[in-house]
Amino acid sequence: MSEELKYWYLRDHKLFWTLSMSQIKQLCIITGFKKAKKNDVIYFSSSDVPRIFLLKKGNIKIVEMDEDGNETIKDIIQKGDLFGELTLENDRNSNEYAKALTDEVAICSFLMSDFENLMLQNPNLALTYTKFVGLKMKRIKNNYSNLISKDAKTRLFTFIKDWAEREGKFNGNKVTIENYLTQADIAQIIGTSRQTATQLLNEMEEKQLIYYSRKEIFIDDITKF
Amino acid sequence: MSEELKYWYLRDHKLFWTLSMSQIKQLCIITGFKKAKKNDVIYFSSSDVPRIFLLKKGNIKIVEMDEDGNETIKDIIQKGDLFGELTLENDRNSNEYAKALTDEVAICSFLMSDFENLMLQNPNLALTYTKFVGLKMKRIKNNYSNLISKDAKTRLFTFIKDWAEREGKFNGNKVTIENYLTQADIAQIIGTSRQTATQLLNEMEEKQLIYYSRKEIFIDDITKF
DNA sequence: TACTTAATGTAAACTACACGACAAATCGCT
DNA sequence: AGCGATTTGTCGTGTAGTTTACATTAAGTA
C-alpha cells in the first residue's frame, strides 16, 4: 500500500485532525495493516510489541476464553474505534483475541511508543485521545449498570436502541440496522442464553416492533423503545 | 484552608508528580473543597460548572436513580480516585449523585477547563491521566464480563477478592478489610438481591472462609478465593 | 438507658432464565 | 441443484435467585 493511502486512512479519523501531515507520516511509517474476513481470528493481545489498533472498516468483537473454553464477548469494535491497550500499558496475561464479524475488515495499527511520543509533542492530540477513552468508558459503564439491574427483555431493548442510535440508518422514526451479529452474539452481549434471545426477538417481531433477518434489523418506530 | 495545604493535597497524588509547583498552584487557586459524613449526598452532576473531583479521604458511591426511584450503584470511588466527568465533556442529562460511605470524606475539585489547559501545557500530565482513565476502564470491563457469565456466588467471591486486593490489610494469607458497605450495597454491586447476598455471606461464614461484621471483613485465607 | 432507625437474618412462594435436545430454516459452496 | 454447516425456532424440565413478608439484631441518639 502506498504511503499516501495510509496517510489518508489516519488523516480521515477525528483523532488526528489536529496533526500536521508530517506528524501523521511519523505514525504511518510504522503502521501495520491487516485485512480479514468473517470469522477470522485477528490477533492475540500477547502477540508482539504493544500496539494500538484502529478499525478502519467493518466490525469485530473482542472475546475472552476461559479455562472451560467458554467465550465471553468483552467488546464490540466498530468502524472508527480505537482498541487494544488503551491503558497505554501492556499486560499480556489475558487470553483475548479478536474475531471479524463482517466480511470486509481493515485494521490499521501503530506502535504504542510512537503514539505516546506523538502525544508528548502534541498536547492537543493527547486531549482528544483522553476524551475518546473517557467516552468509551462512559458507554461501558452504562452497559454495566444496565446489565445488573434490568431483566433480559429490557437489556435487549436497550441494546437494540443503542445499536440503532450508533449505526442505524434513520428514516423518520424508522431505522434500519445492518445486522452483522448472530442471535448467539446478541445473547452474549446482553448476557443471556441464545434461546432466550431468540424468543425475545421473535416476541418483538410478533408485536411488530422490529423485523429481524440475518442481514438487517428493521425498527418500525424507534420512539417505542 | 491554607493554600499550602491545598497544594499538598494535590501534590500528594501520583497524577501530579510531573507538575511544577507553580502549575499545581494554578490548579489550586480554583480548587473547591468539601467534607462530608456518612450517607450525605455530595453533589449532583448537573450542579454548576464542569468539574473534576478527586477523592482525598474516605469512600463514596456514585448512584443513579431511575424513574421508579430505584438506586443502581454506578461506581465505588476510593481514596485517590478521580471521578466526575472523565470524558472531559459535560452532559447533564443523567440523574446521578454521590453518597458518602464512610464518615470522613474529603473531596477536592478543580475546573475541567483549568485541567484541560494544564494538560495542553504539560503533555506528560495528559499521558498520565490517560493511563489513569484507561486503567479504570480495564477494571470496569473485567467486572462487566464477570457479571454476565458467572452466578451470584462466584460474583461475590470475585468481588471480595478484588476488594481485599485493593484495600485489604494483609497478614500472610489473612486479610482484613475495613467494611464501609452494607450488605445491600454489596448486593447492588454484584447485581443480586439483598437477601441473596446475606445468605451467601452467611454461607461463607459457616464455611469459615470469612468473618463478617458491619465494621470489617476478615478473610481467613485469601488463597482460597 | 430506653427508644428509634437502619441493618441483618430467615423462610415460603413464585418466576425468569438456563440448559439440553431436536427440528426447521438459511447460507455458502462446488 | 444439492449438500454440509451454521443459524434460528421451539419445547420441557430444573433451579438459581427474586419477591414478599416478617423477625431479630446492632447502632445511633435523645
Side-chain angles (χ1 to χ4, degrees):
Chain A
M1 170 174 331
S2 75
E3 284 303 311
E4 285 314 308
L5 190 51
K6 282 190 201 168
Y7 166 82
W8 179 85
Y9 265 124
L10 279 187
R11 184 57 195 264
D12 182 41
H13 195 275
K14 272 201 225 87
L15 190 57
F16 304 104
W17 280 355
T18 52
L19 296 183
S20 75
M21 200 183 217
S22 71
Q23 285 174 312
I24 290 189
K25 284 200 170 154
Q26 186 182 336
L27 259 186
C28 282
I29 294 169
I30 29 69
T31 287
F33 219 88
K34 249 182 208 174
K35 295 219 166 204
K37 51 190 166 53
K38 203 163 184 176
N39 289 324
D40 282 1
V41 169
I42 298 177
Y43 85 109
F44 290 82
S45 72
S46 55
S47 53
D48 42 76
V49 214
R51 280 167 186 276
I52 291 177
F53 301 86
L54 168 59
L55 185 58
K56 281 306 302 180
K57 193 177 185 182
N59 293 277
I60 62 178
K61 59 177 174 182
I62 310 288
V63 208
E64 189 178 30
M65 202 94 126
D66 67 1
E67 322 80 53
D68 314 335
N70 299 319
E71 272 191 354
T72 40
I73 291 192
K74 297 205 83 178
D75 214 343
I76 301 281
I77 312 288
Q78 294 162 351
K79 182 187 159 204
D81 280 347
L82 289 163
F83 65 104
E85 312 296 342
L86 291 185
T87 54
L88 302 182
E89 262 155 21
N90 55 320
D91 63 335
R92 37 200 59 217
N93 55 343
S94 64
N95 192 17
E96 287 179 14
Y97 57 94
K99 214 176 201 175
L101 289 169
T102 49
D103 229 344
E104 294 251 327
V105 167
I107 296 168
C108 111
S109 73
F110 37 87
L111 294 183
M112 216 150 73
S113 50
D114 287 318
F115 188 62
E116 229 168 286
N117 285 332
L118 207 58
M119 272 175 47
L120 288 175
Q121 285 164 44
N122 190 320
N124 244 315
L125 173 66
L127 208 63
T128 323
Y129 181 68
T130 305
K131 285 180 185 173
F132 244 80
V133 176
L135 200 68
K136 184 148 198 190
M137 182 153 93
K138 187 178 270 183
R139 257 196 223 140
I140 290 175
K141 258 193 203 170
N142 279 338
N143 282 340
Y144 176 90
S145 49
N146 180 241
L147 263 181
I148 56 177
S149 46
K150 311 286 167 33
D151 66 354
K153 189 185 279 184
T154 320
R155 262 145 41 201
L156 180 58
F157 262 77
T158 13
F159 167 70
I160 292 188
K161 193 182 166 196
D162 283 3
W163 194 6
E165 271 159 11
R166 275 208 308 276
E167 296 193 73
K169 276 171 199 141
F170 280 72
N171 177 11
N173 286 331
K174 299 181 190 303
V175 191
T176 313
I177 309 172
E178 187 214 351
N179 181 19
Y180 47 84
L181 296 172
T182 66
Q183 295 188 354
D185 284 331
I186 295 175
Q188 268 186 76
I189 294 170
I190 65 171
T192 189
S193 70
R194 199 223 85 220
Q195 292 92 322
T196 310
T198 303
Q199 263 185 206
L200 291 173
L201 282 168
N202 289 335
E203 206 178 287
M204 287 170 82
E205 201 156 13
E206 272 166 33
K207 288 182 188 161
Q208 314 262 346
L209 288 169
I210 62 165
Y211 164 77
Y212 181 95
S213 83
R214 294 187 188 185
K215 289 188 182 162
E216 62 174 30
I217 296 174
F218 178 77
I219 300 173
D220 189 58
D221 185 356
I222 189 76
T223 62
K224 287 186 183 162
F225 274 71
Chain B
M1 167 174 332
S2 76
E3 283 302 312
E4 285 313 308
L5 189 52
K6 281 190 201 167
Y7 165 80
W8 179 86
Y9 265 124
L10 279 188
R11 184 60 197 263
D12 182 39
H13 196 274
K14 273 200 225 88
L15 191 56
F16 304 104
W17 279 355
T18 51
L19 296 182
S20 74
M21 200 182 215
S22 71
Q23 285 174 313
I24 290 190
K25 284 199 168 152
Q26 187 183 335
L27 260 186
C28 283
I29 294 168
I30 30 70
T31 289
F33 219 88
K34 249 183 207 173
K35 295 219 168 205
K37 50 191 167 54
K38 202 163 182 175
N39 289 324
D40 283 1
V41 170
I42 298 178
Y43 83 109
F44 290 82
S45 73
S46 54
S47 54
D48 43 75
V49 214
R51 281 166 185 278
I52 291 177
F53 301 87
L54 168 59
L55 184 58
K56 281 305 304 178
K57 194 177 182 181
N59 293 278
I60 64 178
K61 61 176 173 183
I62 311 288
V63 207
E64 188 177 31
M65 201 96 124
D66 67 2
E67 320 82 51
D68 314 335
N70 299 319
E71 272 191 353
T72 38
I73 291 192
K74 295 206 82 179
D75 213 343
I76 300 281
I77 312 287
Q78 294 162 351
K79 183 188 157 203
D81 280 348
L82 290 163
F83 64 105
E85 312 296 345
L86 291 185
T87 54
L88 302 181
E89 262 156 19
N90 54 322
D91 64 335
R92 35 201 59 217
N93 56 342
S94 63
N95 192 18
E96 288 179 14
Y97 56 93
K99 213 175 203 177
L101 289 169
T102 48
D103 230 343
E104 296 250 326
V105 168
I107 296 168
C108 111
S109 72
F110 38 87
L111 294 181
M112 215 150 73
S113 51
D114 287 317
F115 187 62
E116 230 168 284
N117 285 332
L118 208 57
M119 274 181 33
L120 287 175
Q121 285 163 43
N122 191 320
N124 242 316
L125 173 65
L127 212 62
T128 324
Y129 180 70
T130 304
K131 284 180 186 174
F132 244 80
V133 176
L135 201 68
K136 185 151 195 187
M137 184 156 87
K138 189 177 271 183
R139 255 194 227 141
I140 291 176
K141 256 193 204 171
N142 279 338
N143 283 339
Y144 176 89
S145 46
N146 180 240
L147 264 181
I148 55 177
S149 45
K150 312 285 166 36
D151 66 355
K153 188 184 278 183
T154 320
R155 260 142 47 198
L156 180 59
F157 262 77
T158 13
F159 168 69
I160 292 188
K161 192 183 166 195
D162 283 1
W163 193 7
E165 272 159 11
R166 273 210 306 277
E167 295 194 73
K169 277 170 200 143
F170 280 73
N171 178 11
N173 286 331
K174 297 180 193 306
V175 191
T176 313
I177 309 172
E178 187 214 352
N179 181 19
Y180 47 82
L181 296 172
T182 66
Q183 295 188 351
D185 284 330
I186 295 175
Q188 271 186 74
I189 294 170
I190 65 170
T192 189
S193 70
R194 200 222 84 221
Q195 292 89 323
T196 310
T198 304
Q199 266 184 204
L200 291 173
L201 283 168
N202 290 336
E203 205 177 288
M204 287 170 83
E205 202 155 13
E206 272 166 31
K207 289 182 188 162
Q208 315 264 344
L209 288 168
I210 62 165
Y211 164 78
Y212 182 94
S213 85
R214 295 187 188 186
K215 291 187 181 162
E216 60 174 31
I217 296 174
F218 178 77
I219 299 172
D220 190 57
D221 184 356
I222 188 77
T223 62
K224 285 184 183 162
F225 274 70

